[in-house]
Each structure stands twice: as C-alpha cells, then as structure tokens.
Amino acid sequence: MAATRGLVGLGLNALRARTFLQCGRRDSLPAVSFSSAAGSHEEKLKNRQSEMMSRGLPKRKPIPGVKHVLVVASGKGGVGKSTTAVNLALGIAARDDVKGVGLLDADVYGPSIPRMMNLKGNPTLSDRNFMIPLVNYGIQCMSMGFLVEESAPIVWRGLMVMSAIERLLRQVDWGQLDYLVIDMPPGTGDVQLSISQNVPISGAVIVSTPQDIALLDARRGAEMFQKLNVPVLGLVQNMSVFRCPKCEHETHIFGADGARQLAATMGLDILGTKPSSFQS
C-alpha cells in the first residue's frame, strides 16, 4: 500500500508540473528572470574568455629591416607552391619601385628553394652572429637546405622544428627589404600557426590545383589565415589546363575553374592561373 501511495504521489506531482508548464502559472514560484540571468552569465563568460585569449596570444613582432611580409601557402603538397613563391619574389623584384626582396624557405622537412634558386653553400655569420642570406637573381634567400646536406633527411620533433623556424625568422641579417616572401610548408600545422601569430603579415597567397581534394585543403588554409586575422590576397590556380607542346591542344586534366569557384564562394580574388606543359 505504501508503494502504491508513493507511485500515486509521483504521478500527481508530474501532472501538476505539466499543468504548470502548460498554463504558465507563476503564483506558486517566485518571479525570477532566468533568461536575463543566463544572458548575463554568458556575457561575463565570453568577456573572460576574450581576456584570457588576449593574454595568451603572442604579440606580433616585426622582423627588423623588413617592411612587408607575404606568405605563400597551400593546403597540400605538390600543387606548385614553392614555384609560385619563387616567381612572386622575382616578379616583385622586377618592379622599379622595389629596393629589396627576400625569400625565406619555411619548409624545414622539404626545403626546395635552394634548388629552385640555384644556390648552394652555407651562410656566413655577421658581426652580430646573424646568418647572412645567399643571393641570386637579386633575391636574398634563406633556407634550412643551406644548413644540411641536400640528401640528408631532417628527422626532428616539433620543438626542434619550431626552434629552427625561430632562428630563420629572427637570426637572419636581411638588411633592408621592402618585401619578404615566405614559402610556407603545406598544411595548417604548428609552423603556419607560429609564423602567423608572431610576425605581422601583409597578405597570404593560397596556391591550389583545380582538383576537388586540393581545393578542400586550400579552403582550410584560407580559413585558417582568416581566423588568425591575416589578409588573404587571393588564390593562384596552378595546373589549370594541360597544353600540348606540339599541337597546343588544351585538356583540363584536373578539372576546370575549380579555384575560381572556390574563390567566388569565399569572396576571394583569383590572382592568376598557370597551365601545365611538358616539354619533350
């Protein structure tokens, strides 16, 4: 009987609660503004989180002697990012109003700038014990490839890589540069995050091919820079079309206008398209 009375009591309590919610009765409970209290608590929490984030993020410190920093990035490897970085540096240096251009290879595991810029040797040290860049075609270049053998694998953990990036950024005597082009490693990892948070960047250039997979990764890269408040100047579509060196016939091997569609979706500009061609 006691168990039966308990069940009946629970049923009545549930019925009263449901009736109270449906009818909106407020006479049996004190008037409390739950929405305002929750809103106030949520606003305080957001302010606290913003304050903590502002304390935790490093302040962007300019590189001595460098006016503007441009980064060339890609979501994945093999899309022609380093080639674009080299051509961008050479194109900027060809302008009459530009006095000095530098090229920094931030891809520690796979440096390719030494081969592309036709440079070999070890950098010498200045009086301040800073590394002096190697120069070719009027471009000052620095890369991990100058410090290790060309065929030697770099088997480093993350902390060692970040230490190397810090040295390449802060312990190089660039002199006076109007532009420093940084060839980023592919992806959205620690190196990209560290450079974007520690160095004031004037703009980022995203390189991709028209393939769907490459475009997915390119979008991730562009969104990463946007979240870090780095201006994305636009996209470069590489391997946009295959042009036969004999008959000049064009074939869209990797698809057509994929980067243009991505740029339109994200509100970005297409800075240029580069066809693929193989010489026999």
Side-chain angles (χ1 to χ4, degrees):
M1 293 295 293
T4 304
R5 293 194 192 97
L7 292 174
V8 172
L10 290 174
L12 291 175
N13 289 335
L15 181 61
R16 293 192 187 99
R18 186 173 62 182
T19 303
F20 169 75
L21 293 174
Q22 291 176 348
C23 298
R25 293 176 53 189
R26 294 182 173 86
D27 54 345
S28 59
L29 289 176
V32 178
S33 178
F34 292 101
S35 59
S36 61
S40 177
H41 176 72
E42 186 175 343
E43 184 177 355
K44 290 180 179 178
L45 182 60
K46 287 183 178 180
N47 293 335
R48 179 61 176 168
Q49 290 175 344
S50 300
E51 182 181 354
M52 294 179 66
M53 286 293 293
S54 62
R55 291 180 181 178
L57 289 177
K59 293 183 179 180
R60 291 185 171 100
K61 184 180 178 181
I63 300 175
V66 177
K67 293 182 180 180
H68 300 286
V69 175
L70 302 176
V71 297
V72 180
S74 66
K76 66 192 304 293
V79 297
K81 169 184 56 61
S82 297
T83 304
T84 302
V86 169
N87 286 315
L88 177 62
L90 292 171
I92 294 175
R95 294 175 49 181
D96 295 333
D97 58 337
V98 175
K99 297 179 180 179
V101 177
L103 181 59
L104 173 59
D105 189 354
D107 194 349
V108 174
Y109 291 116
S112 54
I113 295 303
R115 175 66 67 91
M116 291 186 173
M117 293 297 292
N118 194 25
L119 286 169
K120 291 183 179 180
N122 302 115
T124 58
L125 298 179
S126 67
D127 296 336
R128 297 186 300 161
N129 206 30
F130 277 28
M131 293 181 290
I132 299 178
L134 277 65
V135 181
N136 198 12
Y137 310 118
I139 308 295
Q140 299 189 52
C141 303
M142 180 54 61
S143 170
M144 183 58 63
F146 299 147
L147 307 175
V148 297
E149 295 293 333
E150 185 177 21
S151 59
I154 300 177
V155 187
W156 288 352
R157 294 187 182 274
L159 291 177
M160 297 181 66
V161 174
M162 299 311 299
S163 177
I165 290 297
E166 183 67 19
R167 290 198 61 188
L168 291 174
L169 286 174
R170 303 296 179 187
Q171 297 186 20
V172 176
D173 188 1
W174 292 107
Q176 298 297 319
L177 296 181
D178 288 337
Y179 292 92
L180 175 63
V181 178
I182 301 181
D183 180 20
M184 291 279 211
T188 55
D190 291 339
V191 174
Q192 295 87 338
L193 184 62
S194 178
I195 293 177
S196 300
Q197 289 183 336
N198 286 279
V199 178
I201 299 176
S202 299
V205 176
I206 309 297
V207 183
S208 179
T209 60
Q211 294 167 297
D212 292 340
I213 299 299
L215 292 171
L216 286 174
D217 294 333
R219 184 183 188 113
R220 294 188 183 99
E223 290 182 349
M224 178 198 71
F225 286 118
Q226 290 176 342
K227 289 182 178 179
L228 296 173
N229 296 322
V230 174
V232 180
L233 302 179
L235 276 71
V236 173
Q237 181 172 256
N238 196 20
M239 308 179 196
S240 58
V241 63
F242 168 69
R243 183 177 297 153
C244 178
K246 294 183 178 180
C247 65
E248 296 294 327
H249 177 72
E250 294 185 350
T251 304
H252 295 280
I253 299 177
F254 303 119
D257 294 332
R260 292 186 183 276
Q261 296 172 7
L262 175 61
T265 302
M266 300 188 67
L268 301 175
D269 295 326
I270 284 291
L271 303 178
T273 59
K274 179 69 174 66
S276 299
S277 61
F278 300 95
Q279 302 296 329
S280 57

